[in-house]
Amino acid sequence: MAYYFSEPSRTFNEYLLVPGYSSKDCRPDGVDLRTPLVKYRIGEEPDVMMNIPMASAIMQAVSDDRMAVALAKEGGASFIFGSQSIENQAAMVKRVKDHKAGFVRSDSNIRPDQTLADIVALKAKSGHSTIAVTDDGTAEGRIVGIVTSRDYRVSRTPMDAKVSEFMTPFENLVYAEDGVSLSEANDILWDHKLNALPIIDKQQRLTHFVFRKDYDSHKENPCELLDSQKRYIVGAGVNTHDYRERIPALVEAGADVLCIDSSDGFTEWLKETLAWVRAEYGDKVKIGAGNVVDKDGFRFLAEAGADFVKIGIGGGSICITREQKGIGRGQASAVIDVAAARAEFARETGYYVPLCSDGGIVYDYHMTLALAMGADFMMLGRYFARFDESPSARLNINGTYVKEYWGEGSNRARNWQRYDHGGEGRLTFEEGVDSYVPYAGSLKDNVGQTLAKIRATMCSCGVTSIPELQNNTKLTLVSATSIVEGGAHDVILKEPGAGVK
């Protein structure tokens, strides 16, 4: 006969955290929100850590290169959506990796015999105003000069003027020799009041640029998430159909971590995809997988080689999988069950597999609950879709600003690969809706406020790190009546601005 779980399927809204003893050292500015993104041997350091426990969802309406840069500046990671062409997704990944680096390879190069018209066209294509002039117009050529926006005026300089006529020639350049440290390069930038410093090898070839704006950006964003080359860390979603072509392209573009994006991760398709990755790349390519909602699903993916496991079916605000198919589980119950299975797996194998809670977040405090129940980070869709940096359109509906937000299982996204079980290769029915979310402004402001709430809550629980939160927190179920008690009640709320003259 069928197996019946003894406990009801519970949501985050049915739990509260119970305060713990807080010492004087338990202050918000002392809370450490770093968390592992990929599995590691217990006692060793993970290969990839996040500085905050937030990832943006693998969705068309949420995660493109602009979102990835904005979130990486705050310390989190985006997973660029995979329901697009391989070329487009790889290009988005590359733009993130090229956006910020201590040492940047020049991808805007020109010959000295070309013209201002070529400079203008190249700037429009790349968006870069600093252009290297090399003898053959390639990044590997011998550098003969540099052109910046200060070297010409489109309104006065003839469009057919040769680059050699207005560039800053090599003999007038301030540069550093190949092998200089980033710290030394930044000192030269400041000493000479430069915006860009070329790094030159012994053959007079340009190896990299170091930009002043990157230094300024780091000072403004001390938690930014960077790889070993000082580039932003970025993830990307893949599916179980074209992974043999998509994954190599994403790896070549520089993706730091991948995630198999599937509505049901407990399938042979997932196992085959993970096996292919391990056969082709070993452990060099980091790849998570999901989604699952119980211990059996976790065990399956962990043993198959997933670097993290994503939890959640049907809990997203735009997801209607539970309505359409009658499958899923309350997100709190799913996280608690999978976390217990993860602990058992760690005791047996010595490996810690991070958990990603995907869906079910309505209020900011639900994130702290997810972490306390065992998640290492959250993947958020609706939350990030509200911000300026999401790729969807901002609209004014009846005087209220909103942003469009649609599910990957909607007819608009048509991401059949995420929901397919070897069927017809198309969506036969919707598992997501097309909707609006209230516009909320910039990512930086909103993420900052959310993290302030998480840190304050952790201090109230007497903990200063996510592992402490997971191991030392007390949680209680709440009744329907106590949920009402937790909000404003038995008062007459003032309208905004009432009583103000």
Side-chain angles (χ1 to χ4, degrees):
M1 61 180 291
Y3 175 82
Y4 291 85
F5 286 90
S6 58
E7 286 292 316
S9 179
R10 298 193 181 279
T11 67
F12 293 133
N13 219 38
E14 297 176 77
Y15 286 89
L16 285 175
L17 293 154
V18 175
Y21 171 72
S22 299
S23 69
K24 290 182 179 180
D25 294 329
C26 198
R27 303 186 313 274
D29 60 3
V31 171
D32 183 359
L33 292 179
R34 289 179 299 169
T35 193
L37 181 56
V38 297
K39 73 179 178 183
Y40 60 95
R41 185 184 293 277
I42 295 171
E44 299 179 359
E45 286 294 312
D47 287 339
V48 186
M49 289 278 289
M50 291 196 294
N51 292 327
I52 62 172
M54 302 172 76
S56 66
I58 309 169
M59 300 176 70
Q60 294 175 8
V62 180
S63 296
D64 64 356
D65 50 303
R66 187 179 177 211
M67 174 62 71
V69 168
L71 184 52
K73 285 181 178 180
E74 303 308 311
S78 287
F79 284 81
I80 291 177
F81 71 94
S83 51
Q84 60 178 319
S85 72
I86 295 172
E87 294 75 18
N88 286 350
Q89 189 185 22
M92 286 187 180
V93 169
K94 188 175 187 304
R95 285 198 291 272
V96 177
K97 301 307 290 186
D98 290 345
H99 185 89
K100 168 77 169 81
F103 294 94
V104 184
R105 280 188 58 82
S106 176
D107 61 0
S108 295
N109 308 285
I110 205 163
R111 298 190 313 274
D113 61 339
Q114 291 183 264
T115 65
L116 177 59
D118 297 318
I119 291 282
V120 172
L122 182 57
K123 182 178 178 181
K125 179 181 178 182
S126 68
H128 300 153
S129 58
T130 299
I131 297 172
V133 185
T134 60
D135 57 357
D136 61 0
T138 70
E140 293 74 31
R142 189 174 61 88
I143 188 166
V144 295
I146 285 178
V147 172
T148 71
S149 56
R150 294 180 299 180
D151 293 317
Y152 62 87
R153 293 181 66 178
V154 174
S155 60
R156 294 189 177 184
T157 308
M159 296 301 287
D160 60 354
K162 299 294 185 184
V163 170
S164 58
E165 297 174 10
F166 56 85
M167 70 181 186
T168 300
F170 177 77
E171 55 267 23
N172 293 342
L173 291 178
V174 176
Y175 63 90
E177 294 183 357
D178 193 26
V180 67
S181 70
L182 183 59
S183 176
E184 292 168 337
N186 280 322
D187 287 341
I188 296 172
L189 277 172
W190 281 95
D191 291 344
H192 293 273
K193 300 179 180 179
L194 303 173
N195 290 322
L197 177 71
I199 311 299
I200 310 296
D201 69 10
K202 287 182 170 56
Q203 285 74 44
Q204 200 178 316
R205 291 194 301 262
L206 175 69
T207 63
H208 298 90
F209 276 114
V210 174
F211 292 99
R212 180 171 181 159
K213 65 180 177 63
D214 290 344
Y215 177 88
D216 294 338
S217 175
H218 178 66
K219 293 302 179 183
E220 293 172 4
N221 303 286
C223 289
E224 60 187 356
L225 190 60
L226 306 174
D227 65 15
S228 60
Q229 300 179 54
K230 307 298 183 182
R231 302 174 301 177
Y232 287 132
I233 283 179
V234 61
V238 300
N239 60 62
T240 58
H241 295 268
D242 64 7
Y243 60 88
R244 291 180 179 86
E245 297 76 40
R246 188 173 294 270
I247 290 176
L250 294 173
V251 171
E252 176 67 23
D256 298 279
V257 60
L258 307 175
C259 182
I260 305 172
D261 186 31
S262 174
S263 66
D264 179 5
F266 201 174
T267 73
E268 189 173 356
W269 309 107
L270 270 287
K271 185 176 181 180
E272 285 185 355
T273 305
L274 288 168
W276 182 86
V277 170
R278 295 303 172 225
E280 292 292 317
Y281 297 101
D283 291 328
K284 292 181 179 179
V285 168
K286 306 302 180 183
I287 182 166
N291 284 19
V292 297
V293 293
D294 68 357
K295 63 180 182 181
D296 295 334
F298 167 82
R299 191 84 190 197
F300 172 78
L301 290 178
E303 291 178 349
D307 283 297
F308 66 85
V309 171
K310 196 145 67 80
I311 308 166
I313 294 177
S317 59
I318 41 67
C319 184
I320 54 173
T321 294
R322 297 180 193 176
E323 294 178 19
Q324 295 283 58
K325 295 166 65 176
I327 66 167
R329 196 177 190 188
Q331 191 68 5
S333 295
V335 172
I336 293 168
D337 194 5
V338 172
R342 189 260 309 278
E344 182 180 278
F345 184 82
R347 287 192 296 271
E348 293 177 11
T349 66
Y351 280 93
Y352 185 92
V353 180
L355 301 180
C356 169
S357 178
D358 178 16
I361 301 293
V362 180
Y363 304 108
D364 285 350
Y365 82 87
H366 288 171
M367 298 187 201
T368 318
L369 283 169
L371 296 171
M373 291 172 180
D376 296 280
F377 62 99
M378 289 75 59
M379 184 169 281
L380 306 159
R382 180 193 62 85
Y383 178 87
F384 286 114
R386 304 171 301 146
F387 303 150
D388 290 318
E389 294 80 3
S390 75
S392 65
R394 189 182 74 166
L395 306 172
N396 189 313
I397 305 294
N398 298 324
T400 300
Y401 282 106
V402 298
K403 293 207 75 174
E404 294 183 297
Y405 180 45
W406 60 95
E408 290 296 293
S410 67
N411 278 329
R412 181 171 183 174
R414 295 193 175 278
N415 185 5
W416 63 268
Q417 294 94 333
R418 188 178 196 275
Y419 300 88
D420 181 58
H421 281 270
E424 300 179 32
R426 63 183 180 87
L427 279 179
T428 55
F429 58 89
E430 286 188 290
E431 293 189 46
V433 299
D434 199 342
S435 65
Y436 303 115
V437 289
Y439 168 67
S442 75
L443 179 146
K444 186 177 185 65
D445 291 343
N446 284 275
V447 167
Q449 185 177 73
T450 296
L451 295 177
K453 293 178 184 178
I454 292 174
R455 291 187 175 102
T457 303
M458 289 173 63
C459 286
S460 292
C461 294
V463 299
T464 58
S465 70
I466 292 174
E468 286 181 11
L469 181 69
Q470 294 170 340
N471 294 322
N472 302 325
T473 301
K474 297 177 288 185
L475 297 102
T476 182
L477 278 167
V478 296
S479 68
T481 305
S482 83
I483 291 175
V484 174
E485 181 185 65
H489 61 89
D490 299 310
V491 295
I492 301 172
L493 294 177
K494 295 179 180 180
E495 293 295 326
V500 179
K501 295 183 180 180

